[in-house]
Amino acid sequence: MFTSARNQLSGKVSSIQRGAVNDEVAITLPDGQVIVAILTHSSTESLGLQAGSEAFALIKASSVILLTDTAGVRLSTRNQLTGTVSEVVKGAVNSEVKLTVGSGTLITAIITNDSVQNLGLAAGKTATAAFKASSVIVGVKA
Protein backbone atom coordinates (compact mmCIF):
# COMPACT_ATOMS: atom_id res chain seq x y z
CA MET A 1 0.00 0.00 0.00
CA PHE A 2 1.24 3.49 -0.84
CA THR A 3 -0.30 6.65 0.62
CA SER A 4 0.52 10.34 0.75
CA ALA A 5 0.27 10.35 4.56
CA ARG A 6 3.74 10.96 6.00
CA ASN A 7 2.94 9.21 9.26
CA GLN A 8 2.28 5.50 8.80
CA LEU A 9 2.48 3.72 12.14
CA SER A 10 1.92 -0.03 12.56
CA GLY A 11 0.89 -1.76 15.75
CA LYS A 12 -1.73 -3.89 17.47
CA VAL A 13 -5.20 -2.92 18.57
CA SER A 14 -4.99 -2.81 22.37
CA SER A 15 -8.56 -1.77 23.13
CA ILE A 16 -11.86 -0.77 21.56
CA GLN A 17 -14.45 1.31 23.39
CA ARG A 18 -17.66 0.72 21.47
CA GLY A 19 -20.26 3.41 20.99
CA ALA A 20 -23.59 3.64 19.24
CA VAL A 21 -22.10 5.63 16.36
CA ASN A 22 -18.35 6.01 17.01
CA ASP A 23 -15.75 3.72 18.53
CA GLU A 24 -12.50 4.68 20.24
CA VAL A 25 -9.72 2.41 19.00
CA ALA A 26 -6.32 2.30 20.73
CA ILE A 27 -3.35 1.01 18.74
CA THR A 28 -0.17 0.18 20.64
CA LEU A 29 3.00 0.70 18.62
CA PRO A 30 5.96 -1.72 18.98
CA ASP A 31 7.73 0.73 21.32
CA GLY A 32 4.72 0.89 23.67
CA GLN A 33 3.40 4.28 22.52
CA VAL A 34 -0.38 4.35 22.08
CA ILE A 35 -2.31 6.06 19.27
CA VAL A 36 -6.04 6.65 19.78
CA ALA A 37 -8.42 6.91 16.82
CA ILE A 38 -12.11 7.66 16.56
CA LEU A 39 -13.88 5.55 13.93
CA THR A 40 -17.48 4.95 13.07
CA HIS A 41 -18.78 1.72 14.54
CA SER A 42 -19.40 0.42 11.02
CA SER A 43 -15.74 1.07 10.08
CA THR A 44 -14.55 -0.87 13.12
CA GLU A 45 -16.78 -3.74 12.06
CA SER A 46 -15.88 -3.69 8.36
CA LEU A 47 -12.14 -3.65 9.17
CA GLY A 48 -12.62 -6.59 11.53
CA LEU A 49 -10.85 -4.74 14.35
CA GLN A 50 -10.55 -6.48 17.69
CA ALA A 51 -8.08 -6.45 20.57
CA GLY A 52 -4.84 -8.08 19.43
CA SER A 53 -5.38 -7.57 15.70
CA GLU A 54 -2.73 -5.90 13.56
CA ALA A 55 -3.57 -2.40 12.30
CA PHE A 56 -1.90 0.77 11.12
CA ALA A 57 -2.57 4.44 11.76
CA LEU A 58 -2.22 7.13 9.11
CA ILE A 59 -1.85 10.78 10.14
CA LYS A 60 -1.27 13.61 7.67
CA ALA A 61 1.78 15.71 8.61
CA SER A 62 -0.36 18.86 8.35
CA SER A 63 -2.59 17.49 11.15
CA VAL A 64 0.31 17.30 13.63
CA ILE A 65 0.82 20.22 16.03
CA LEU A 66 4.19 20.64 17.77
CA LEU A 67 4.74 21.97 21.29
CA THR A 68 8.04 22.62 23.05
CA ASP A 69 6.89 23.61 26.53
CA THR A 70 4.03 21.50 27.84
CA ALA A 71 4.44 22.36 31.53
CA GLY A 72 1.02 23.40 32.79
CA VAL A 73 -0.55 22.99 29.35
CA ARG A 74 -3.65 20.81 29.07
CA LEU A 75 -4.88 19.92 25.60
CA SER A 76 -8.02 18.19 24.38
CA THR A 77 -6.01 16.15 21.86
CA ARG A 78 -5.86 12.48 22.83
CA ASN A 79 -2.56 11.82 21.10
CA GLN A 80 0.51 13.51 22.59
CA LEU A 81 3.87 11.90 21.86
CA THR A 82 7.07 13.47 23.22
CA GLY A 83 10.41 12.95 21.51
CA THR A 84 13.47 14.57 20.02
CA VAL A 85 13.65 16.57 16.80
CA SER A 86 15.79 14.57 14.39
CA GLU A 87 15.58 16.86 11.35
CA VAL A 88 14.17 20.18 10.17
CA VAL A 89 13.88 20.75 6.41
CA LYS A 90 13.02 24.37 5.65
CA GLY A 91 11.06 25.36 2.57
CA ALA A 92 10.02 28.77 1.28
CA VAL A 93 7.06 29.07 3.69
CA ASN A 94 6.76 25.80 5.62
CA SER A 95 9.16 23.36 7.20
CA GLU A 96 9.07 19.60 7.58
CA VAL A 97 9.95 18.63 11.14
CA LYS A 98 10.78 15.01 11.98
CA LEU A 99 10.39 13.96 15.60
CA THR A 100 11.71 10.65 16.93
CA VAL A 101 9.53 9.30 19.74
CA GLY A 102 9.86 6.12 21.76
CA SER A 103 12.43 3.69 20.45
CA GLY A 104 12.60 5.10 16.94
CA THR A 105 9.03 5.85 15.88
CA LEU A 106 9.13 8.84 13.54
CA ILE A 107 6.40 11.51 13.47
CA THR A 108 6.52 14.16 10.74
CA ALA A 109 4.85 17.56 11.02
CA ILE A 110 4.51 20.36 8.48
CA ILE A 111 4.54 23.75 10.20
CA THR A 112 5.36 27.31 9.18
CA ASN A 113 8.93 28.56 9.18
CA ASP A 114 7.82 31.22 11.69
CA SER A 115 6.68 28.46 14.05
CA VAL A 116 10.02 26.65 13.69
CA GLN A 117 11.79 29.86 14.67
CA ASN A 118 9.36 30.77 17.48
CA LEU A 119 9.62 27.29 19.01
CA GLY A 120 13.39 27.13 18.53
CA LEU A 121 13.10 23.78 16.76
CA ALA A 122 16.37 22.19 15.75
CA ALA A 123 17.91 18.73 15.81
CA GLY A 124 18.24 17.53 19.39
CA LYS A 125 15.45 19.72 20.79
CA THR A 126 12.67 18.05 22.79
CA ALA A 127 9.15 18.52 21.41
CA THR A 128 5.71 16.97 21.65
CA ALA A 129 3.61 15.97 18.65
CA ALA A 130 -0.13 16.37 19.25
CA PHE A 131 -2.97 15.31 16.97
CA LYS A 132 -6.66 14.65 17.42
CA ALA A 133 -8.04 11.12 17.50
CA SER A 134 -10.41 12.13 14.70
CA SER A 135 -7.38 12.91 12.50
CA VAL A 136 -6.21 9.30 12.59
CA ILE A 137 -7.17 6.96 9.74
CA VAL A 138 -6.99 3.28 10.64
CA GLY A 139 -6.33 0.48 8.19
CA VAL A 140 -5.59 -3.23 8.10
CA LYS A 141 -3.75 -5.37 5.60
CA ALA A 142 -6.02 -7.49 3.43
Side-chain angles (χ1 to χ4, degrees):
M1 178 185 75
F2 297 101
T3 74
S4 63
R6 294 288 179 90
N7 300 299
Q8 302 177 25
L9 311 170
S10 296
K12 288 190 179 192
V13 175
S14 49
S15 68
I16 299 173
Q17 296 252 348
R18 299 209 183 270
V21 177
N22 291 324
D23 295 342
E24 180 181 280
V25 177
I27 299 172
T28 301
L29 305 177
D31 63 8
Q33 303 263 2
V34 177
I35 302 288
V36 178
I38 299 295
L39 308 177
T40 62
H41 181 66
S42 63
S43 290
T44 302
E45 293 291 317
S46 69
L47 291 171
L49 296 176
Q50 56 186 322
S53 63
E54 298 283 333
F56 55 87
L58 302 175
I59 308 104
K60 289 180 59 88
S62 58
S63 295
V64 177
I65 297 168
L66 296 179
L67 302 96
T68 55
D69 183 6
T70 58
V73 175
R74 295 175 9 168
L75 299 172
S76 64
T77 58
R78 296 294 310 273
N79 299 297
Q80 299 177 34
L81 307 173
T82 300
T84 304
V85 175
S86 56
E87 183 180 14
V88 177
V89 179
K90 287 192 175 181
V93 175
N94 292 328
S95 292
E96 176 185 75
V97 180
K98 294 183 180 180
L99 185 70
T100 303
V101 298
S103 60
T105 300
L106 196 63
I107 302 289
T108 302
I110 300 294
I111 63 173
T112 65
N113 290 337
D114 286 345
S115 292
V116 169
Q117 183 176 351
N118 292 338
L119 295 172
L121 293 173
K125 174 96 176 185
T126 299
T128 298
F131 49 94
K132 296 177 71 162
S134 58
S135 295
V136 179
I137 297 170
V138 175
V140 296
K141 293 182 181 175

